[in-house]
Amino acid sequence: MNGEAALPRPHHAPRAKNVIFLFMDGGPSQVDTFDPKPRLAKEHGQPMKMKVLPTQFDDNGNVMQSPWKFRQYGESGLPVSDLFPHVATCADDLCVIRSMVANFSEHTNANYFLHSGFGLQGRPSMGAWVTYGLGSENRDLPGFVVLSSGMIPPGGVDCFANGFLPATHQGSIFQSGAQPLPNLAPPAGRLSRSQQMLDLVRKLDQQLLEQTGPNDKLESAIANHELAFRMQSAVPELADLSGETKATQALYGIDAEYEQTRIFGRECLLARRLVERGVRFVEVLCPSVAGDRWDQHANIKQGHANNARAVDQPIAGLLKDLKSRGLLDETLVVWGGEFGRTPFSQGGTGRDHNPYGFSMWIAGGGAKGGHIHGATDEYGYHAIENKVEVHDLHATMLHLLGVDHWDLTYRFGGRDMRLTDVHGNVIEELIA
């Protein structure tokens, strides 16, 4: 397909209508979160008994056990570490993929790869592909929204770019707080005049289009200008949480003692409000905590604890709130980072980057709840069973949205391009 329509038809009956991607920037450790490895405790402090591949910093130490205990939760008995006591209560909704693999072990390239299926900047983000393929159900808000607390991941805003797709599909970054966008409100008394100005600009733009013919840059500029006008009313209403009950706000941790929990809780609540209003793809970024995101090359115990404290209650609140409103069945929630971490130490107290086997999870939107897919070896180092490539994850996400990843194409550079390039398979075992 090329070009776009207001609401393109899916290729098959969708299980999900929207996506919320909870991006754990920096790379959470699989052996400290969702992939327990008793061997690490048995051999703690001993040299690894298998070949160790080069790492980002090559400061590789001995086997390091997890500082956290794992317990089984729900009817499924799904193991979750003590890092996530709140998320653990949603265990029966989680489909944990323990066998993710990535192609890059450095943040910037790995972030581009996770977001766009390509390790260099310039390709469309998965959010851009989803809005290109399905459009958005709300004409007053962007179809692809990125919720940020001010910390953009390595790779910058190109992680959310439209690439060669029309510019209307790029991610729109909303900051945390009561005013997510700058310069949103027109000067007092100017709204009616703004409408007159918009009508004039629309008339002039249409005259120019008639002269130039089809022009993506011009058409996207026109569309974005008109969207910005409509957002003057839609965004303040979206960001106003006063209509949410105290119980709902408490569910997300907006009244929590830890400031980062409050920040991320607000983002997760806004994510629910966005999909509730028909926004197609929402990415939620982590807040900044002491310890540099989930990227703990030293003192993983304190760093991962701070990050988990920030996101645990809000994520559980999001899942429970979506479920109570009947939205989880049609909203695919995806959790994870760009890679995992090594089962051996770096500098004695940290873990280096590990793309060879790590964990992500999906929930809702047709995902198989209470399910574990794939496995890593006894150290949690390499995926050894039912490996899932990033392209497979993308293909499965599109499939749940009713889109065939083979058929979602855009003509560029002399060939039909797609999110999964020439790769990717739908992983049926992840689907309920």
Side-chain angles (χ1 to χ4, degrees):
M1 56 183 291
N2 204 338
E4 63 177 297
L7 276 178
R9 295 177 62 85
H11 298 136
H12 55 263
R15 300 291 299 274
K17 293 172 57 180
N18 318 90
V19 175
I20 297 176
F21 176 35
L22 304 168
F23 180 44
M24 300 294 106
D25 178 14
S29 168
Q30 67 283 358
V31 297
D32 296 306
T33 53
F34 296 98
D35 193 2
K37 294 298 175 183
R39 185 167 182 172
L40 299 184
K42 293 177 182 178
E43 298 183 14
H44 178 70
Q46 301 178 23
M48 285 282 289
K49 293 181 173 61
M50 64 183 297
K51 181 179 179 181
V52 173
L53 299 175
T55 56
Q56 178 76 14
F57 294 98
D58 273 340
D59 178 17
N60 302 329
N62 295 326
V63 172
M64 186 168 72
Q65 67 182 350
S66 176
W68 297 278
K69 301 295 184 183
F70 281 76
R71 309 173 200 277
Q72 293 180 303
Y73 291 89
E75 294 182 6
S76 60
L78 193 143
V80 182
S81 95
D82 288 347
L83 266 177
F84 294 113
H86 293 281
V87 170
T89 64
C90 304
D92 288 337
D93 294 314
L94 307 184
C95 179
V96 176
I97 308 168
R98 287 183 175 171
S99 52
M100 288 297 307
V101 294
N103 291 17
F104 299 90
S105 60
E106 184 275 330
H107 292 294
T108 296
N109 298 107
N111 285 342
Y112 289 146
F113 188 61
L114 176 61
H115 283 83
S116 72
F118 195 71
L120 299 174
Q121 65 189 132
R123 294 292 184 95
S125 173
M126 54 181 160
W129 276 109
V130 168
T131 58
Y132 165 67
L134 293 173
S136 179
E137 294 185 320
N138 190 322
R139 65 185 298 270
D140 298 331
L141 292 168
F144 174 21
V145 172
V146 180
L147 297 175
S148 171
S149 60
M151 187 174 68
I152 300 297
V157 295
D158 281 333
C159 292
F160 325 119
N162 59 293
F164 46 71
L165 294 177
T168 51
H169 299 298
Q170 66 183 315
S172 296
I173 300 176
F174 286 20
Q175 299 296 337
S176 62
Q179 295 186 350
L181 296 172
N183 306 315
L184 188 63
R190 292 276 301 276
L191 190 59
S192 60
R193 185 177 173 187
S194 296
Q195 179 63 62
Q196 294 173 354
M197 292 173 62
L198 182 68
D199 292 340
L200 175 60
V201 170
R202 184 184 293 119
K203 181 178 179 180
L204 294 174
D205 287 338
Q206 185 59 43
Q207 291 175 355
L208 182 58
L209 274 177
E210 291 173 357
Q211 296 174 14
T212 63
N215 184 306
D216 170 46
K217 291 183 179 179
L218 180 57
E219 291 175 23
S220 293
I222 295 170
N224 286 336
H225 186 225
E226 294 186 351
L227 174 61
F229 177 79
R230 296 193 297 273
M231 287 168 63
Q232 292 178 348
S233 298
V235 172
E237 185 275 333
L238 166 76
D240 181 6
L241 303 184
S242 61
E244 300 286 347
T245 66
K246 290 184 178 180
T248 296
Q249 296 190 43
L251 181 67
Y252 284 85
I254 292 176
D255 60 351
E257 178 183 354
Y258 193 46
E259 180 184 8
Q260 283 72 17
T261 304
R262 300 196 299 271
I263 292 171
F264 196 72
R266 182 181 176 88
E267 291 180 14
C268 285
L269 180 51
L270 282 177
R272 188 220 83 202
R273 290 170 66 87
L274 283 163
V275 299
E276 201 171 34
R277 287 157 174 77
V279 172
R280 190 69 69 182
F281 196 103
V282 181
E283 178 164 352
V284 187
L285 304 181
C286 292
S288 176
V289 301
D292 190 22
R293 317 184 315 277
W294 288 92
D295 191 30
Q296 274 73 62
H297 293 274
N299 197 4
I300 194 168
K301 183 176 181 179
Q302 187 62 51
H304 265 39
N306 287 339
N307 279 281
R309 185 182 179 191
V311 306
D312 177 40
Q313 183 179 353
I315 291 174
L318 173 65
L319 293 174
K320 292 175 180 179
D321 197 20
L322 288 171
K323 194 169 187 177
S324 70
R325 296 169 185 268
L327 292 172
L328 187 59
D329 287 342
E330 59 186 41
T331 303
L332 179 65
V333 182
V334 181
W335 179 96
E338 64 268 39
F339 39 58
R341 310 206 77 82
T342 56
F344 47 87
S345 71
Q346 177 186 352
T349 61
R351 300 189 192 274
D352 210 331
H353 305 168
N354 176 31
Y356 309 114
F358 60 100
S359 297
M360 296 182 71
W361 57 254
I362 60 178
K368 186 182 295 184
H371 177 70
I372 296 171
H373 179 82
T376 52
D377 58 44
E378 290 184 335
Y379 289 105
Y381 191 13
H382 293 267
I384 59 172
E385 179 183 312
N386 297 326
K387 289 183 181 180
V388 178
E389 305 270 357
V390 168
H391 295 114
D392 300 329
L393 176 66
H394 289 164
T396 305
M397 291 170 64
L398 290 176
H399 177 81
L400 290 170
L401 289 164
V403 176
D404 188 328
H405 73 108
W406 292 100
D407 292 335
L408 182 63
T409 63
Y410 188 90
R411 192 74 176 175
F412 177 77
R415 73 180 180 98
D416 290 336
M417 310 292 283
R418 56 190 179 91
L419 172 60
T420 52
D421 197 44
V422 296
H423 312 284
N425 295 289
V426 176
I427 308 300
E428 298 287 349
E429 291 82 3
L430 305 179
I431 301 172

